[in-house]
Amino acid sequence: MSDETPLPEHVAANRAAWDEYAPEYVAPGERNWRVAPGHETWGVFGFPEADVRVFPDDLAGKDAIELGCGTGYISAWMTRRGARVVGIDNSPRQLETARRLQADHGLEFPLVLGNAEAVPYPDASFDFAISEYGAVLWADPEVWVPEAARLLRPGGRLHVLTNSWLSLLVAPDEPDAPFGETLVRPWFGPHRVIWKGETSVEFHLPPGDWIRLFRASGFEVEELLEPPVPANATTGYVHATGAWASQWPVETIWKVRKRR
Ligand SMILES: C[S@@+](CC[C@H](N)C(=O)[O-])C[C@H]1O[C@@H](n2cnc3c(N)ncnc32)[C@H](O)[C@@H]1O
């Protein structure tokens, strides 16, 4: 299945950019596809699933969609936990990796080339939607959040993980520069961010805007997690050390539920 409608400008830019980034995501995708149920971890410091509970307890037998599935490892994790999963992604090259890994692992689920802002599935098709640095970071929230609400059944959950709002405010423009300890960006926007030297478009919202948007789209906010790490924690992530992340949140996890 593929979406033939013309792409909005930021979606076209992000498709081209992610087709270019895709080779860097092959090795992490391969590593993550090998993770067994119960051993999943989240974010750049690897929070154990048992601590942050990004997956609902009752995933088995449910319909789930990953919005911006990339190499598909989170979709694979959900399939192994017994969900019927669809992965949608905007990058043909990321999906090439996902398809190859499906074949390597003998694990099949639908992979759709498309934009999470306009998903080719009927209303109320899913019980759970998830985005880990996918649509939550690269699609327009004013469009993809109502779209996620449309796709979910009443009582269905949307869980997302992305950069913390604070980390954006202290992030210098230079690529690979570490987060600082002073604010270098305005709280009040712009919320559409193109980093120096990049063509891809990211979206970052302050917490109040997320809450307004979730509620206006028919969700109740159940949890906002911004976990600290121990100061001696290590990461391959170039922007934050354990020392930084023990004082300020690097990442945010929102858990929201569609009103019944
Ligand atoms: C950092 S990856 C996250 C995916 C996955 N967790 C992984 O690491 O492979 C971001 C993904 O979001 C996808 N993406 C960006 N914009 C999108 C959109 N509008 N709709 C669907 N996917 C999108 C990109 O193509 C990319 O594969």
Side-chain angles (χ1 to χ4, degrees), residues 89-104:
D89 199 278
N90 182 37
S91 157
R93 290 200 69 194
Q94 285 277 82
L95 290 179
E96 259 172 45
T97 305
R99 290 205 177 88
R100 199 254 300 160
L101 287 166
Q102 282 192 327
D104 290 355

Side-chain angles (χ1 to χ4, degrees), residues 37-77:
H39 297 270
E40 302 96 337
T41 61
W42 298 96
V44 296
F45 284 95
F47 297 115
E49 165 60 14
D51 293 349
V52 290
R53 297 193 166 272
V54 176
F55 292 137
D57 291 338
D58 57 353
L59 198 51
K62 296 290 168 59
D63 293 301
I65 184 163
E66 184 178 1
L67 303 168
C69 66
T71 60
Y73 64 86
I74 293 168
S75 292
W77 295 350

Side-chain angles (χ1 to χ4, degrees), residues 89-237:
D89 199 278
N90 182 37
S91 157
R93 290 200 69 194
Q94 285 277 82
L95 290 179
E96 259 172 45
T97 305
R99 290 205 177 88
R100 199 254 300 160
L101 287 166
Q102 282 192 327
D104 290 355
H105 288 261
L107 204 62
E108 286 282 319
F109 47 83
L111 288 168
V112 179
L113 173 62
N115 173 12
E117 297 169 3
V119 176
Y121 276 82
D123 296 358
S125 294
F126 299 97
D127 305 296
F128 181 55
I130 187 168
S131 176
E132 186 254 11
Y133 289 114
V136 65
L137 180 59
W138 305 94
D140 183 345
E142 303 290 343
V143 186
W144 80 261
V145 172
E147 178 67 347
R150 183 189 72 74
L151 291 167
L152 285 169
R153 299 179 179 128
R157 293 171 187 282
L158 167 66
H159 293 180
V160 301
L161 185 154
T162 191
N163 304 114
S164 74
W165 173 245
L166 178 71
S167 72
L168 176 79
L169 300 183
V170 298
D173 251 342
E174 288 67 36
D176 297 347
F179 298 149
E181 297 188 6
T182 52
L183 304 178
V184 294
R185 278 164 208 282
W187 180 284
F188 298 114
H191 300 148
R192 180 184 287 246
V193 176
I194 301 177
W195 297 98
K196 200 184 259 177
E198 296 286 348
T199 51
S200 55
V201 183
E202 295 182 5
F203 295 84
H204 298 263
L205 293 187
D209 280 21
W210 278 120
I211 291 170
R212 169 196 53 78
L213 180 56
F214 285 138
R215 291 187 57 80
S217 305
F219 290 108
E220 290 300 336
V221 175
E222 295 207 321
E223 203 173 359
L224 164 60
L225 281 178
E226 295 194 311
V229 304
N232 62 357
T234 56
T235 175
Y237 188 60

Side-chain angles (χ1 to χ4, degrees), residues 25-34 71 97 100-101 104-105:
Y25 284 76
V26 172
E30 289 175 343
R31 208 166 42 243
N32 280 308
W33 264 81
R34 289 196 293 268
T71 60
T97 305
R100 199 254 300 160
L101 287 166
D104 290 355
H105 288 261

